[in-house]
Each structure stands twice: as C-alpha cells, then as structure tokens.
Amino acid sequence: MKAHGTIFTVLLLTGAVAASDSTIDTAAVRFAADATTETPDFQRHVVPLLGKLGCNGRACHGSFQGRGGFRLSLFGYNFKADHDEISGRVDPETPPESLVLQKPLMEIPHEGGQRLKPGSWQHRLLLNWVKADSPGRSEDAATLSELMVTPAEVQFRKDGQQVQLKAVAVWSDGNREDVTDLCRFQTNDDQVADITSSGFIEASASGDTHVVVSYDSAVVAVPVMRPVSDKTGKNYPDTPTPTKIDELVIARLKKLGVVQSDRCSDEEFLRRVSLDVTGALPTVKEIRQFVANETSDKRAKKIDELLERPGYTAWWTTKLCDFTGNSDDQLNNVTPIRQAASQQWYEWIHARVDQNVPYDEIVEGLVMAVSRDPGESYEDYCTNISQLYHKGNDRSFADREQMPHYWSRRNFQQMEDRVIGFAYTFLGVRIQCAQCHKHPFDKWTQDDFKGFQGFFTGVTGRNTNPRPENRGEYKQMLAKFDTGDLKGGQLRNELRKIVQKGEIIPFGEVYSTPPPKVVVVERKGRKQNVRRGGGRTATEARLLGETPIDLTGYEDVREPLMAWLRSPENPLFAKAFVNRVWAAYFNVGIVNPPDDMNLANPPSNAPLLDHLATGFIAHGFDMKWLHREILNSRTYQLSWRPNSTNRLDERNFARAVPRRLPAEIAWDMVSQAVSNDDKFARFASSTDGRAIAITGAGTRYRGNGDASYAMTIFGRSIRESNCDCDRSEEPSLLQTIFLRNDSQILEMLDTKEGWLAQVAKENGVPFSSRTPSRTDKSKLARLAQLRVTYTNRLTAQQTALARLKKNGGNENQIARMEAQVRSSRKKWKQYLNPGATDNSEDNTSHAVVNVAKAIDDAYLRTLSRKPTNAEAADATEFVAQAENEMDGLRGVMWALLNTKEFIVNH
C-alpha cells in the first residue's frame, strides 16, 4: 500500500468522536524514547504485541505443536500458560540476552525471521517488561469493557483515499488507552479496501466490505463503502418502500449508490413464491387466473394461501430437520424398527409446523426433551411406545410432548459435540474453535466453551437403559420373553419381532439427572463440601458471554439454558433463525454463511437483522409472521434483471439473485412439469410421494425411492454434522448430464400419466414411448427378432397376393388373400416396420394436434409464463420438422427442462 495520498476527512462524513483528554497515549509514543521507564502490562501490552508480531499465530508458536519447543496459546487467550512459557525464555539478570528478545531480533537464528528491529518501540516495550522481572497478569486485573474504533463507518469516494483507524481500549477500572498500534487488522475483501498492519485503510474498487480490528478479547468490524455510482443521498432516485424491510434495505443502498431493480412480473412472482414456500410450480390455471386478477392485494393474498398449503408444512419441516440433525446415520438402533426414529422426528416437527406452533416452543420440545411425557410411569411409557409399532395402530409419535431422539444421536453424546452442535443449530455460531483456544473471529474463549458445557452434562442420551430406579422393572418385563442371553443387536432384533406381534416390550429412555446436592460434612474435625448424587451433572455453568450460574437449584440443568434462548436479551437465538429464513429466500443470509455469525463476519445490514429478530420475538416467535414479513416486502418481489448499478451486487438485496433450487424441490419440479394436469394440480394439495416430504437423510437412508440418485447429485443435506454446509446448492456437470441424458428423465416424459400422453389423448393421436424403460430394455433383442419375422411374413403374403393378381387367379382366391393380408397387418401392427404397412385402405381421418396451445402449456407448466413470439415461432418450426407432432412436443418439453430458467428460481 502507498504511504501517501489524500487523507480522507472522516470526522465530517462519519461523525467520529475525538478521544477525551483522559485517554492514555499509544504504546508507540510512550515507548519511543530510550529513557522511558514504564513497565508494560502483560495482558494489555505484551500479549497483544506478540499477536501483532505474529508470534502467537497458528503458523508460529500459537500452533497446536508450537515451534522450537516454545508454545503459546493461539492469539493469547491463556495468560497464565503464556506467562509460564515465556518466563523460561527471559533472563532477568541480563535482560537483553533473553531469548524472547534475541530470537525476534535475529541475534541468534530464528525460524520465524526477524520480528523486532533494534531500538524500535516494540523492542523497548518487551525489554522494559523483562527488566521489571516479567510481571504476569494479576488475579484481580481489570478486564476489557469495550474497544472503541473510530471512525465507526468509512465512506470513500474515489481511488487513493485513505483513513487511519484509531482504537481505544476501555477497561473495567476506568482506564482508557489508545491501543491502535497493538491491534491486529484485516480486511474481508481487499478488492474493495486494503488495510495496513497499522490500521491505515485505502480505497480500491467500488463496493462494500468490512475491516476487522482485534485486540485482547474484542473483535470489531468497521463497514467500508465506496459508492458504485453517483446515485447516493439526495441523488438517489425515488424508490417505493412499502415495508420496514424496504426502508432499511434502501437506507443502505443509498450509501452505496446501488439502485434496486423494478418489481418482478406477476408470472415471475407467482413462480418464485410458489417454489420458495411450497416447493411446487403453480398450475397453468392458477397462472392465468393470477395474471388476470387486477386487485392490488393479490400478492399478499397469494402468500397467505401458499402458507396454508401442505407443501409449506412439508418443506419447512424438512428445513428444521436439516437444522436440528435428523439423520438416520446418527439414529442407528434408537428404535426397534429401522429408520423409524427419523420418521418419528419428522412427524413430530411436521405436526407443530402444521399448527404454527411458535419456534421457541418447538425448540423447547427438543432442548428439554426426555422420553417420558409428564406424569407417565415407566410401565405406561413402555406401553405407549410399544403401541406405536403394533399393526393397525393409529397413534403417532407426534402426539408426544417432546422429541428425545435429538439427544440420542451418536454424534451428540460427548459434551464437546453437544456444545458444538447446539451452537450451530440454535445460535448460528461455529464455536468449535473455542474448544482449544480463543476464537480467532469472536470473543469466545476456551473458558466460555467449557463453561457452556455444564448445561449438557445432565442428559443421558443413548436410550439403551431406563432410569436407574426403573431397571428392575426393565428386567422383569424382559424376563417375560424367551430372549435367553441375547445382548446388543441380537436382543434388539428379537425385541423388534416381539413388539411387531403386538406385545409390550421394555424400552430404554432419554432422561435428565438433577445436579448433585452439595452438603457439609465433618471429617476428622474438619468441615468439607461433599457432592451427593447427580452423577456427572455439573453444579455450575455459564451462558455465552455471561456470568456463571449455580445449577444446584434446578431439577434439570437445561432450564436456564432454555430460558436464555427465548429471552429478548439473547443476542443470537432469534437472529440465527431469522437469518436462515432470509437466506432461504435471497440466496445469501444477512449474515453469510448463515451458520457463521461472529464478530468478524458482521451482518451486511445490521438494522435489518435487528428489525426482523425483534419483530420475531415480539410476535411470539411466530414463523408464519416472519415468512409473511419477508415475502410481502418489495425487496423480495424485485426482478432478477439487473441494472448498471446492481449487476454485481449479491449481498445488499438490490435485485433477486437467480438461485439453483434445493434438491428436493428440483426433483419435485421435474416430476410435476412432466405430469398430466390432474397429477400436476395434486402437488398443490398433497405431499404424498413428494421429495420434500421424504423424512430421513444420511448415507444409510434408503427411503428416497426413485428420487435417490437425483437427491444425491442435486445436493440434498446428508445431515452428517450440524453445519448448513451439509446441503449443497451448487450447480454441477452431473446435474446437467442427468437432466439431459438420464433414462429416468426420458422415461418420465413418456409415462402414461404424463403430459405428453394427455395431449395425445386430448387430440386423438397415437402416442408411444421413444425411450423404453429399464425393465423393457432386456426385451429389445426379442422385439427386434419378432419385427423381422412378422415383416417377412407380411411381405410374403403381399407377394403372393400380387402374384395371384398378375397370373389371373380366381376372385375367391384373391379375396381370401386380401383378407389374410388385412388381418396380418392388424394383428402384427406393433411389430412391423413403418414402411411395411399399407395405409391405402385406412379411411379414418388424420387427427391434428393443436400445437400452438400445447406449446403455450409447455411453457406455462415449466417456466410459468407464455413463450415470447420468437420462442413460439422457434418451437412451432421445431415441431413441424419432427417426424410427427408428438415427437416434436417431446423435444420442446425436453428442451424446456434443460433451460437455466427452469432449474433456477428467479
């Protein structure tokens, strides 16, 4: 970066507040002179300087193995361990000869190269610390309250403009210090803005990004923008903002000079919202009625209508199963019937989404889950669960209070896995880094991670045994059956057979153990605190970012965790879900990736995320309110067609971004498009047989039926972990090949329940498959033989008839032979080559297909719009050049299925 250039006047444009007189000068100033005698503070100065120099980075001594026998905590989170490690490399009697100085000065060989320059302020800071006998962090040391970075927002106007950031640390003891020279700086997009190690920002290309400032436990992201046009502020064109969402989106776009696209057409809106909400295409009739409707509120009414369709319930049940980890791979042996656990999990969530149960209550049924319903004895529990597997039973797991399978997954048994999975699912946070070290992009430390673990210690999740007090009953129930010494899988298989015969079998269960009671006992004249009961349940835990909680007053240690989730003060729970819903409709989240909310990855529009999260909480976590709020915004209803200002924008919501559809919807859409009208319409009223209603997932799952291969190549979530990345919506070559050439697609075009067969029947023309099914392929050789045989026989009969006529045979012989030829043609017609039949005697009129209507319908049922004049002309010409009209229409439909416009939602 250049050291010269026009310094940007940030005070005028950002309203930054100058530091008060009480702010301590930066270390670079205080340690600039040789005469300085100040002793640096280990936490405030030494550790941040080592981070600034890269010493405790992951590529150096902060790596898990350390370097050269010297290991520091990554980014300096563990002050005691770091001080102990560094103390072995200081020489208090001759400070300049300390390894902690000689190595970075390259006075002795150092693999990391020279990190300090002799006589620099950094050198003096470390030297003064060693001279003062290397003091560590005291137990009552002040903590960082806030890192104030100014300017809080940067707006550039042209190339070469520059801004110097200033960072002031505010400590809990009231001290304020300029720590700019001790901060680490990075940019999230160096194409828009670059930043030096001293916090000097320089403008690059137009656009927006954040620069991130890190110091101690603080991570602060500063928005940096450079308008893409002159249409900013007062120059911004008048744009309708009918909803609060639109107001907040436009407020940001005004700063960027990005103008929104126009509102999309009715056809585009109907297709987009139908696929997004219900995973199905609108019918031809529905499209025509919607376009003809001239009322101003028709879009809002359509949104309400779609939210009541079964497709909405099925699709958002599937989404919630993705988020919460409903995986057959992880639920192995949870139920006596294979894959029953994933089915029960799906049905449980489905019933609640269908009833629009508030999101926090659904989460409560997972987070607080135990196997037994309130007041249910062990005997009643076993009876009720056994009846679920009895033939003719109409009970459903959905009727039970909670969903214990959430805790039964194999990848959710270790406390660390529970913390990581829970944070992904309900907080949108990737906290796994804090398992070993301070999170590099957030404030979470290893202490935060360990403290959070306490809430997950009380649950016994693998339901192989009942509660301890009911194990006698378990053995008594088991003794009724002749299971001998069977154990493990053999016992499970035997119990499966028994329960399917209508018997009541014993079950293990998910249960919570209360924390131990701490009592005071006297031993040898000394009073001691002793734990009584509680197993491994923790007595103390800490909510993220908060103070420790005494758990001994709770029967279930998850109670304060659940109360914190639904609290309006919770900074993550509502935002995590709101952000995921937004991402489902806009291709990217307000925070993106949606499951990576951290301080260094801030929202693209923080006021927008705050508005939606606050409204979601205020409306009682009503999921349909959230969907309506988003879908009714003009921002959602924008056209995908870009203008010169927004063509490169994909994160500020200035236009609709065409997006590849999720695997389940892509498959359903193909199936629907090629179906006849009756079957097509059933996609709106039923989810039977639809991919969005497939209950399980994972490599073990075998319930995808005909959709199995398509689900795989289109990236259906495998639910292998709790990461949103388990689902892929990236396009691939395999997907293109599948749509173009796979026999399954070609067979679907020619099915008897398909649209092509319907068109042929309506127009009275013959229709036969051009693509034999997999089951027919083995018969092709036999069919070829029969074709040759019967063609030869008919040819012989026709030759004999011709010879009779030529040689003057009698009329009776000729009449009998003519009758035989006609009979053979009729009897062998399906086996004969087209040229072997003589149609001169067929007096039936030739039916004509209404090609124009068929082409219109093909476009409406795939792209939800009529063809343009040019498209209609091309399609008509193609049909005319085909061997017959039905072959031509087959080609048109195949071509439409393979357009980008079909396979993306736009």
Side-chain angles (χ1 to χ4, degrees), residues 71 99 309 507 680 740 785:
R71 180 188 173 195
L99 284 177
R309 289 186 183 177
F507 282 88
F680 192 110
R740 289 189 177 185
Q785 286 180 337

Side-chain angles (χ1 to χ4, degrees), residues 522-585:
E522 189 169 324
R523 292 177 178 171
K524 297 180 180 181
R526 298 180 60 186
K527 292 183 178 180
Q528 296 180 337
N529 291 333
V530 178
R531 288 167 57 111
R532 292 284 169 82
R536 61 177 184 172
T537 306
T539 58
E540 184 180 271
R542 187 168 69 185
L543 298 167
L544 292 178
E546 300 195 13
T547 55
I549 294 175
D550 181 3
L551 299 177
T552 57
Y554 296 94
E555 281 299 305
D556 189 325
V557 297
R558 298 171 294 179
E559 291 176 31
L561 176 64
M562 189 62 228
W564 174 69
L565 282 184
R566 56 166 41 119
S567 167
E569 283 72 43
N570 186 295
L572 297 168
F573 178 62
K575 287 182 180 178
F577 184 70
V578 162
N579 191 50
R580 280 188 167 114
V581 174
W582 184 276
Y585 292 134

Side-chain angles (χ1 to χ4, degrees), residues 606-656:
L608 174 61
L609 184 60
D610 290 341
H611 162 70
L612 289 170
T614 302
F616 187 45
I617 296 170
H619 286 81
F621 296 94
D622 183 339
M623 293 188 289
K624 285 189 177 178
W625 172 86
L626 178 60
H627 291 293
R628 286 191 185 96
E629 187 76 1
I630 295 173
L631 297 171
N632 277 302
S633 69
R634 183 179 183 274
T635 299
Y636 173 77
Q637 299 178 23
L638 293 173
S639 170
W640 61 270
R641 294 172 177 81
N643 56 48
S644 60
T645 68
N646 69 19
R647 64 184 181 85
L648 298 178
D649 178 69
E650 293 191 359
R651 62 186 177 199
N652 290 296
F653 320 117
R655 62 183 173 90

Side-chain angles (χ1 to χ4, degrees), residues 40-96:
D41 182 270
F42 186 68
Q43 176 181 358
R44 302 186 189 192
H45 306 121
V46 176
V47 172
L49 178 58
L50 293 177
K52 181 88 170 182
L53 297 174
C55 302
N56 58 19
R58 62 170 55 91
C60 199
H61 301 292
S63 70
F64 187 74
Q65 302 89 355
R67 286 286 188 276
F70 182 43
R71 180 188 173 195
L72 298 172
S73 62
L74 187 62
F75 307 119
Y77 75 96
N78 192 329
F79 298 112
K80 184 179 184 308
D82 286 349
H83 186 266
D84 291 345
E85 190 79 8
I86 295 171
S87 295
R89 296 200 162 212
V90 299
D91 186 346
E93 295 183 2
T94 53

Side-chain angles (χ1 to χ4, degrees), residues 802-820:
R803 188 180 298 116
L804 279 174
K805 290 181 177 180
K806 181 178 180 180
N807 296 333
N810 66 53
E811 293 182 1
N812 288 336
Q813 287 179 315
I814 293 174
R816 283 197 300 271
M817 184 57 70
E818 286 178 341
Q820 187 177 0

Side-chain angles (χ1 to χ4, degrees), residues 209-400:
T209 187
H210 288 83
V211 293
V212 181
V213 187
S214 302
Y215 173 80
D216 194 66
S217 61
V219 178
V220 178
V222 178
V224 179
M225 290 173 278
R226 181 180 171 191
V228 302
S229 74
D230 60 357
K231 295 177 174 61
T232 59
K234 294 180 179 179
N235 293 328
Y236 198 82
D238 289 338
T239 305
T241 53
T243 70
K244 184 66 176 179
I245 288 176
D246 299 317
E247 291 177 17
L248 296 170
V249 170
I250 290 298
R252 178 158 180 84
L253 295 179
K254 281 184 176 180
K255 295 179 180 180
L256 288 166
V258 175
V259 179
Q260 280 190 334
S261 295
D262 293 331
R263 204 166 74 136
C264 66
S265 68
D266 283 344
E267 293 93 337
E268 286 175 344
F269 167 78
L270 184 59
R271 185 181 199 269
R272 181 189 305 170
V273 75
S274 297
L275 288 170
D276 275 344
V277 176
T278 70
L281 291 161
T283 66
V284 173
K285 180 180 178 181
E286 188 179 5
I287 297 167
R288 287 176 170 146
Q289 288 178 342
F290 188 77
V291 172
N293 186 346
E294 296 182 355
T295 59
S296 60
D297 61 347
K298 66 179 182 180
R299 294 193 178 191
K301 286 183 176 179
K302 179 57 70 174
I303 290 168
D304 289 342
E305 177 191 333
L306 292 172
L307 289 172
E308 298 305 317
R309 289 186 183 177
Y312 160 77
T313 302
W315 178 233
W316 278 95
T317 297
T318 294
K319 296 283 282 183
L320 287 171
C321 285
D322 283 354
F323 302 154
T324 56
N326 178 11
S327 167
D328 289 276
D329 289 355
Q330 306 304 332
L331 293 169
N332 194 30
N333 298 328
V334 168
T335 54
I337 308 299
R338 185 175 295 176
Q339 297 184 356
S342 64
Q343 176 79 26
Q344 291 167 356
W345 191 329
Y346 180 92
E347 290 174 354
W348 189 89
I349 291 182
H350 186 278
R352 284 148 183 80
V353 175
D354 187 53
Q355 297 163 17
N356 199 34
V357 171
Y359 174 67
D360 66 318
E361 292 183 22
I362 295 176
V363 172
E364 183 177 22
L366 296 164
V367 173
M368 297 299 298
V370 292
S371 291
R372 292 191 218 174
D373 279 351
E376 193 174 46
S377 68
Y378 181 68
E379 182 179 359
D380 290 342
Y381 160 67
C382 292
T383 299
N384 292 332
I385 297 299
S386 293
Q387 289 174 348
L388 293 173
Y389 305 103
H390 292 170
K391 292 181 180 179
N393 165 66
D394 59 356
R395 291 170 177 253
S396 170
F397 205 99
D399 299 328
R400 298 191 64 78

